[in-house]
């Protein structure tokens, strides 16, 4: 029994290590791609590692109290928790993580968890821009959860399950079995909601440097920032894996996982490069119109 | 609201622990281990975050620096909008007394290690504003400067050369401006107060 637990912990740590590095490289490659679109050369792809190391090597740090400490911890716990509940590679022993029946509901909660923790932490920072950033971020994430929840309900009704592993299992056996093909309406709603969740343009006004200085993390510095930077890679990769599992047939090997999540990520990157930022009220209105209606349609199809 | 009430509110605000620190900046020595110190210095040199605060006409050189023509991001240099996260302060051109106050405040909010680049002749000796009634002439009376980039105006290439010089200094462990400021804190404060007549900042405000 004890041995089984230690093995599980070992697998979880290895799995986290993989996803942390994958997420950082993903961010690095994306910075390069965006730079090329702008006609620039762009930073080297290992730049996120150097940035984390540099923040870690800062000699002083300013704190504003206990919640200020806990905010980034909650944020990172949200990212790690989200990742550890999703099977990264279907059928793998160590990348299966802690997926269980009914995890889909918990995962939807965990997407929100980090943001709420951050709201408490950034609130104690006392900077008005932090509070504004949190308010904008929360309203936008809430709006994008509506079409996402509808898409998830449609999938749950289609497969008669709330387990991500079972949804992935039902999509095995070729591209014709993927939910993208068998349930295109839910996929459309889910992928539009995904744009709102990934914090890229046009839905990144709450993090925009030119709008209000970087939003929620305004007051965070040095080691606090390291936690937020680490979370950025884990959280982004976890969300990509979630969408891969829900709509694009999951993955049966690490290579397949990397290719699929990379392509899914490029969807929001390309949209972000092409379109300018929405204001918050615009993005909320946009998310509650077409994506939500598509989501309602997806649910209606399975309720009759 | 009369003056007394206003004064009380100002004092209460400035003493609030949540927003201001009442401790003097202190000297923080780098890591003792030589290998770790070199590694950290390398990371500091290759990830420089500039505080997005343009003080004078020199800030017009910054947009071309970030965008397609000169693109400093390839050297690991990025603009950062908040002093808490930024590590490099470019004093871009002349510095009026009014701006100096904000510059000091922003500088003190930055974390150790921090670096200052003086851009243009105005930061060296006042440049064409040498006899102006409301600009300062020598920047290093008020803040410790690591690298000066002379010229009026220096081109973005000159700025990149300045950054390379700064990187060299950081890698050699010579860019210790933050500690220098902490060591000579009284001297810097006296100089700052001499030039800023309406000193209504809290005594320690980082």
């Amino acid at each position: 029994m004890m041995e089984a637990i230690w093995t599980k912990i070992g697998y979880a740590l290895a799995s986290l290590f993989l996803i942390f590095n994958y997420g950082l490289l993903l961010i690095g490659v994306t910075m390069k791609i965006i730079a090329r679109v702008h006609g620039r050369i762009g930073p080297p792809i290992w730049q996120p590692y150097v940035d984390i190391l540099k923040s870690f090597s800062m000699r002083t740090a300013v704190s504003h109290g206990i919640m200020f400490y806990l905010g980034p911890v909650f944020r990172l716990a949200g990212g790690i928790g989200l990742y550890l509940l999703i099977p990264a590679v279907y059928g793998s022993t160590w990348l299966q993580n802690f997926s269980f029946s009914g995890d889909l509901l918990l995962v939807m909660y965990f997407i929100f968890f980090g943001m709420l923790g951050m709201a408490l932490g950034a609130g104690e920072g006392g900077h008005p821009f932090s509070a504004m950033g949190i308010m904008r971020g929360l309203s936008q994430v809430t709006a994008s959860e509506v079409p996402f929840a509808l898409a998830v309900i449609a999938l749950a009704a289609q497969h008669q399950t709330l387990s991500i592993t079972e949804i992935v299992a039902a999509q095995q056996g070729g591209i014709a079995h993927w939910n993208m093909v068998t349930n295109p309406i839910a996929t459309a709603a889910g992928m539009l909601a995904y744009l709102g969740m990934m914090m890229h343009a046009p839905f990144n006004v709450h993090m925009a440097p030119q709008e209000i200085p970087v939003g929620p993390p305004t007051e965070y510095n040095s080691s606090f920032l390291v936690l937020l930077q680490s979370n950025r890679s884990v959280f982004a990769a976890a969300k990509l894996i979630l969408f891969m599992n829900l709509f694009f047939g999951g993955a049966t090997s690490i290579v397949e996982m990397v290719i699929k999540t990379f392509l899914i990520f490029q969807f929001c990157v390309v949209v972000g490069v092409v379109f300018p930022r929405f204001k918050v009220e615009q993005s909320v209105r946009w998310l509650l119109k077409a994506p939500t209606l598509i989501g309602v349609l997806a649910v209606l199809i399975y309720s009759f | 609201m009369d003056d007394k009430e206003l004064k009380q509110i100002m004092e209460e605000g400035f003493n609030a622990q949540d927003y201001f620190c009442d401790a003097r900046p202190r000297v923080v020595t780098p890591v003792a281990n030589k290998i770790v110190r070199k590694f950290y210095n390398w990371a500091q040199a290759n990830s420089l975050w500039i505080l997005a605060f343009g003080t004078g006409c020199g800030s017009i050189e910054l947009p071309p620096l970030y965008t397609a023509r000169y693109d400093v991001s390839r050297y690991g240099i990025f603009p950062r909008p908040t002093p808490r996260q930024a590590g490099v302060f470019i004093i871009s051109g002349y510095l009026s007394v009014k701006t100096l106050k904000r510059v000091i405040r922003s500088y003190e909010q930055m974390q150790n290690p921090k670096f200052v680049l003086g851009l243009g002749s105005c930061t060296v000796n006042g440049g064409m504003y040498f006899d102006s009634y409301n600009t300062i002439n020598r920047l290093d009376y008020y803040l410790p400067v690591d690298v000066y980039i002379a010229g009026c105006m220096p081109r973005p290439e000159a700025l990149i050369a300045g950054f390379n010089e700064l990187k060299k200094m950081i890698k050699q462990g010579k860019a210790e401006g933050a500690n220098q400021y902490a060591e000579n804190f009284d001297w810097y404060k006296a100089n700052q107060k001499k030039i800023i007549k309406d000193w209504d900042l809290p005594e320690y405000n980082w």
Side-chain angles (χ1 to χ4, degrees):
Chain A
M1 182 62 192
M2 264 324 271
E3 239 170 58
I5 290 174
W6 282 114
T7 330
K8 270 272 178 202
I9 291 175
Y11 284 161
L13 289 179
S15 180
L16 269 177
F17 178 76
L18 177 90
I19 212 65
F20 173 67
N21 287 297
Y22 174 54
L24 282 183
L25 284 176
L26 203 58
I27 293 171
V29 172
T30 307
M31 274 158 73
K32 197 91 185 163
I33 291 175
I34 292 175
R36 288 302 165 106
V37 175
H38 290 169
R40 296 185 284 122
I41 293 171
I45 59 169
W46 57 84
Q47 189 63 39
Y49 286 95
V50 188
D51 286 345
I52 284 192
L53 198 67
K54 164 250 164 85
S55 295
F56 185 73
S57 71
M58 295 304 275
R59 296 178 202 154
T60 54
V62 167
S63 166
H64 295 280
I66 296 170
M67 268 331 286
F68 190 79
Y69 266 94
L70 288 180
V73 177
F74 279 178
R75 190 96 174 104
L76 187 60
I80 292 176
L82 176 66
Y83 173 66
L84 285 181
L85 289 172
I86 305 171
V89 173
Y90 173 71
S92 157
T93 37
W94 62 291
L95 283 170
Q96 180 65 21
N97 296 335
F98 298 98
S99 176
F100 61 96
S101 54
D103 52 0
L104 198 46
L105 288 178
L106 197 56
V107 157
M108 286 182 65
Y109 166 72
F110 256 108
I111 291 180
F112 229 96
F113 180 78
M115 202 74 179
L116 290 174
M118 196 64 200
L120 295 171
E124 192 163 29
H127 204 292
F129 290 157
S130 302
M132 280 165 68
I134 279 291
M135 196 185 71
R136 292 172 168 197
L138 274 177
S139 42
Q140 197 167 282
V141 174
T142 314
S144 66
E145 284 268 306
V146 177
F148 177 60
L150 288 167
V152 166
I153 292 169
L155 289 188
Q158 181 194 356
H159 295 291
Q160 297 292 317
T161 176
L162 278 171
S163 157
I164 299 176
T165 312
E166 283 177 32
I167 290 178
V168 176
Q171 298 178 72
Q172 296 305 309
I175 199 166
H177 297 268
W178 293 4
N179 284 336
M180 185 182 77
V181 179
T182 58
N183 198 346
I185 303 175
T187 307
M191 290 312 284
L192 291 176
Y194 155 88
L195 289 180
M197 279 179 190
M198 284 310 281
M199 296 180 196
H200 270 260
F203 298 100
N204 64 348
V205 77
H206 57 295
M207 300 284 287
Q210 299 90 335
E211 184 66 26
I212 46 170
V214 298
T218 303
E219 278 290 299
Y220 282 101
N221 51 67
S222 314
S223 304
F224 301 111
L225 201 60
V226 174
L227 287 184
L228 294 178
Q229 283 171 313
S230 318
N231 176 68
R232 213 172 124 215
S233 75
V234 176
F235 199 44
K239 276 191 277 192
L240 292 174
I241 291 170
L242 176 67
F243 279 89
M244 172 191 76
N245 281 337
L246 288 181
F247 304 113
F248 302 99
T252 49
S253 68
I254 295 181
V255 178
E256 192 184 348
M257 188 263 280
V258 167
I259 293 172
K260 278 185 181 174
T261 47
F262 182 77
L263 290 176
I264 296 171
F265 194 41
Q266 291 319 305
F267 170 54
C268 80
V269 171
V270 168
V271 170
V273 164
V274 175
F275 290 98
R277 280 191 195 105
F278 273 144
K279 286 194 257 179
V280 178
E281 61 266 32
Q282 287 172 327
S283 64
V284 169
R285 218 173 282 150
W286 186 85
L287 284 162
L288 292 182
K289 272 181 189 166
T292 305
L293 283 177
I294 298 171
V296 170
L297 188 65
V299 173
L300 282 180
I301 288 172
Y302 282 97
S303 48
F304 296 115
Chain B
M1 196 188 294
D2 60 7
D3 283 358
K4 206 176 160 192
E5 270 178 74
L6 188 70
K7 207 182 165 204
Q8 195 185 350
I9 290 172
M10 297 277 272
E11 275 168 7
E12 278 171 8
F14 285 158
N15 289 332
Q17 283 287 313
D18 284 355
Y19 304 105
F20 301 112
C21 181
D22 58 359
R24 294 161 63 102
R26 62 198 163 83
V27 178
V28 189
T29 45
V31 195
N33 188 314
K34 199 178 166 190
I35 298 170
V36 178
R37 191 172 65 226
K38 281 207 158 175
F39 189 45
Y40 281 176
N41 282 345
W42 172 84
Q44 290 284 349
N46 283 298
S47 167
L48 290 169
W49 290 357
I50 307 171
L51 181 62
F53 184 171
T55 60
C57 40
S59 49
I60 199 71
E61 301 294 333
L62 297 182
L65 195 70
Y66 302 141
T67 45
R69 179 110 190 229
Y70 294 102
D71 181 32
V72 279
S73 72
R74 63 202 151 123
Y75 303 120
I77 299 165
F78 302 92
R80 207 71 195 163
T82 151
R84 293 289 188 208
Q85 296 169 6
V88 184
F89 204 149
I90 299 180
I91 306 296
S92 47
Y94 66 85
L95 195 51
S96 69
V97 175
K98 185 178 151 192
T99 318
L100 177 65
K101 215 164 156 184
R102 279 79 185 169
V103 164
I104 291 165
R105 218 163 147 182
S106 305
Y107 180 75
E108 288 181 1
Q109 284 184 27
M110 286 158 69
Q111 301 302 308
N112 188 346
K114 47 191 168 185
F115 318 107
V116 176
L117 250 81
L119 173 66
S121 304
C122 298
T123 58
V124 183
N125 57 9
M128 64 186 281
Y129 298 98
F130 73 101
D131 59 350
S132 165
Y133 66 98
N134 70 340
T135 62
I136 59 158
N137 284 357
R138 265 187 74 169
L139 178 59
D140 63 2
Y141 282 153
Y142 312 99
L143 293 176
V145 183
D146 294 284
V147 175
Y148 280 113
I149 302 157
C152 182
M153 286 309 300
R155 305 263 307 146
E157 291 100 325
L159 247 173
I160 292 175
F163 271 115
N164 284 338
E165 196 57 37
L166 180 65
K167 280 186 174 191
K168 257 186 237 160
M169 287 173 67
I170 297 172
K171 280 181 190 160
Q172 291 165 356
K174 285 182 185 164
E176 289 292 340
N179 283 343
Q180 201 186 321
Y181 189 70
E183 271 166 19
N184 307 310
F185 193 60
D186 292 326
W187 185 77
Y188 280 114
K189 275 282 165 236
N191 283 349
Q192 291 163 1
K193 283 181 187 174
K194 215 182 283 169
I195 205 90
I196 302 171
K197 299 295 179 214
D198 53 340
W199 183 273
D200 55 359
L201 294 172
E203 203 53 28
Y204 307 116
N205 58 341
W206 58 292

